[in-house]
Amino acid sequence: MKTPANEATDGTLAHGVFLFLLLFTLWLLLTGSLDPAELIAGAMVALAVTLISRPHLNIFTGLRLTPGAILPFLSYLGLFLVELIRANLDMARRVLTPSLPLQPALVEVKTELQSPLGRLILANSITLTPGTLTVDVLEDRLVIHWVEVPPDLTIEDATRSITSKFERHLKGFVK
Amino acid sequence: MRLLADIVLLVGAAFTLLGALGLLRMPDVYNRIQAGTKAVTLGALSLILGIGLLYPQWWSKLLVIALLILVTNPLGSSTIARALLIAGVKPWTKTSTTAGKERES
């Protein structure tokens, strides 16, 4: 939106190619065959969908499509899986403890991510990590339901303990 | 391979069971969403992984299903929670009954 025209068109082409590859990969996974007829049909469908939806589909413009984005993406995936398993063990412990250890409250945290896609991924990650559920996204603030809020919490503390670990990796591949 | 698949399937079932238990035990709707989302997401992923170990020829479709679950599950939960908040459902807070602490209204 704030980018100059030529940069925007570059982004559009690269992101169009990305969307095409994404759709084509989806086709390959769904058909599960490498038959040439299937490949050609898939390429045509993916191209058609890309051309038709591209002008309306702005969500992918938040992606950084550079080789340097691959490593942060992989480390984010690793962190995410670890956090997902930790979240479940944490929730299992709470559910199975007879006294039900909960101290829930709504807290607000800030995000430095600018693009809708980045905020979407961050919000989803927060929902799947220990004790936190994203309730709302208001500009650069996320409203989060937290099952065990430490006493005397400031917005900076909450931001540091909830979003920062993801943002560090996310910034590498989304804006 | 068969044994590993069985273990993974069992783990998935166990997490799903814990999710159901969480739905019963949690005090309010937000906490229920939390318990439900996390447990069921990992439970479903484990089940899918287990099926993938049993039937390796299905891996591509299972991968698509897993990705779809990973993206849509938290999104759906957040959307429901947001609608609840807008509708004015207040989150439950612990009102302490132990002596020496102030009782909140």
Side-chain angles (χ1 to χ4, degrees), chain A residues 4 36 44 47 53 72 93 95-96 106 116 132 135 144 158 161-162 170:
Chain A
M44 282 165 62
L47 187 65
S53 66
R93 180 180 63 78
V95 168
L96 293 177
L106 290 177
T132 51
V135 175
I144 288 169
S161 60
I162 297 179
L170 280 171

Side-chain angles (χ1 to χ4, degrees), chain A residues 29-30 80 87-88 91-92 95-98 100 102 104 106 120 124 127-129 131-136 145 147, chain B residues 15 18 21-22 25-27 30-31 34 38-39 41-42 60-61 64 71 74-75 78 81-82 85 91-94:
Chain A
L29 289 173
L30 283 175
F80 174 75
N88 276 275
M91 195 46 80
V95 168
L96 293 177
T97 308
L100 211 58
L102 296 172
L106 290 177
L120 171 72
N124 273 1
T127 299
L128 290 177
T129 51
T132 51
L133 166 72
T134 309
V135 175
D136 206 350
H145 180 265
V147 293
Chain B
F15 274 122
L18 282 171
L21 195 62
R25 289 209 66 201
M26 287 300 177
Y30 297 102
N31 287 303
Q34 290 231 22
K38 293 179 218 304
T41 306
L42 190 64
S60 62
K61 287 181 181 64
V64 174
V71 175
L75 198 62
S78 289
R82 180 167 183 268
L85 189 72
W92 174 88
T93 49
K94 186 172 270 181

